[in-house]
Amino acid sequence: MSDIERELRESLAENARRAPAGDGLAERIIADAQFGRGAHDRRSGRSRWRAWLLPAIAAACVAGVVASIAVVASLQHPKTHSANTPSFSVTPPTGGAASSTAPATTTAPSSSHGASGASTSAVPGIGPVPKGFQAADLTFVSTEDGWALGSGQCFKTPSQSCTALLRTSNGGKDWVSVMNPPANIGGTCDTCIEHIRFADGNVGYAYGQNALFMTKDGGAHWTRQPGGADALETLSGNVIRVADAGGCPPGCSYQVQTAEVGSGQWQPARLPGTVRGDSVLLNRTGHAAYLLIQQHPAGGAGMQQPTLLTSSDDGHTWAKSGHTPCPQGPGSTEIDASLMTTAEDGSLSLVCTARGGPPIAQFTVTSTDGGTTFRPGGRGAFSSLAGALGAASSSVLLVSGDDTYRSVNGGRTWLLSAAGPGKASWIGFENATVGRAISMNGRTIWTTADAGATWSNHTFL
């Protein structure tokens, strides 16, 4: 027995001996309510109330100690974390780029065409980060509050890898594991997911080509929605979802739908004809949305030049850009867009690469007028094949290939990002200054608060 507990017990016993009878206490309470404090002798009233007040305080202290012990014990046993369930074991993510889009930073909805009933525990678990965690995708709803989807060692079966969802409330300095959807990471299985998007602290979406899960209560329950999503982004109170009709790639036929945040009622968007391609990239900023339909000869395309669709009304209606974003070079060399991102100032940027040519032909293009015109950056400014693109503004761009490079003049010239994330699989900005990056192996999440000039990092053990 500790000294504190012994003293509390002795205090309780002593005050119990001195406490007034219960009936007398009840009569005094009634009298005080009817006649006020002056109905009794003030001195005797204070001493009698003190006799009851001291044990009450002591009891409250004991309750506080017990509650503290209970909280610590619960954090050491993450029983509600679904990564404890071996049936959801997965293989670790491949380390390829999870997404070229910026993390979600405003409200957005989800669901597919209705709800079916795959759900998890009633209370989101909070536990330690699983060993060997590898991040596949990030989403932030503010500069402080974000989630990382990935995989790590299962808590009960460390020899296996389990899906894991982490959350931070201090901008990535610390992370805890929370309830994840009942799905596998990566691959093309029926329950495989690759991406995570939260619209706010309650509504979130986890999705892959064949699966879509939605939560409305911060992850306490994840509900399986019909179908999947090739791309999904939330902003301005709604969500845009792009899905294929199945049996692809190659030669995919895509549908675009919108819904209010947290709703399962999806409405088809108005498209300029049939949308076919090999893969898609989706980005949003303000009320504008951009959909890049990428092509591949294996899908029947004679050229790989993508089709850019633009929307100015949160994805409800779309128009086709009149030209390819990437200016073509001399001769017959085809130059295609491979990565796309948006910035808080409304700009749209892409990476352009010569088809079948050397990586040195890469450069960026940026539009500040909704995708109508594009300003090209310096050709050959970065030589390694780009795998991730981020933009703090139309001027400040970051590209990662063999290392992370930064431009402050719209892509005309590039320098190595000092003490930056190195080779990154993903880069995204929440606003004009705060951004994140995922290391190529998924083990480190990098954070910048000055548009990529300097970085801090959190590495998972």
Side-chain angles (χ1 to χ4, degrees), residues 112-153:
S112 191
H113 298 52
S116 61
S119 62
T120 57
S121 168
V123 179
I126 297 178
V129 175
K131 292 182 179 180
F133 178 78
Q134 292 177 289
D137 200 13
L138 291 177
T139 179
F140 275 76
V141 297
S142 70
T143 58
E144 300 296 315
D145 202 7
W147 292 258
L149 176 68
S151 63
Q153 288 184 9

Side-chain angles (χ1 to χ4, degrees), residues 209-226:
Q209 187 176 8
N210 300 320
L212 174 62
F213 296 86
M214 177 175 67
T215 180
K216 296 183 183 180
D217 52 15
H221 300 82
W222 287 93
T223 304
R224 178 77 181 267
Q225 305 294 301

Side-chain angles (χ1 to χ4, degrees), residues 171-193:
K173 296 181 182 68
D174 301 290
W175 297 82
V176 295
S177 61
V178 295
M179 187 67 68
N180 55 265
N184 295 339
I185 292 291
T188 57
C189 66
D190 183 58
T191 59
C192 287
I193 57 175

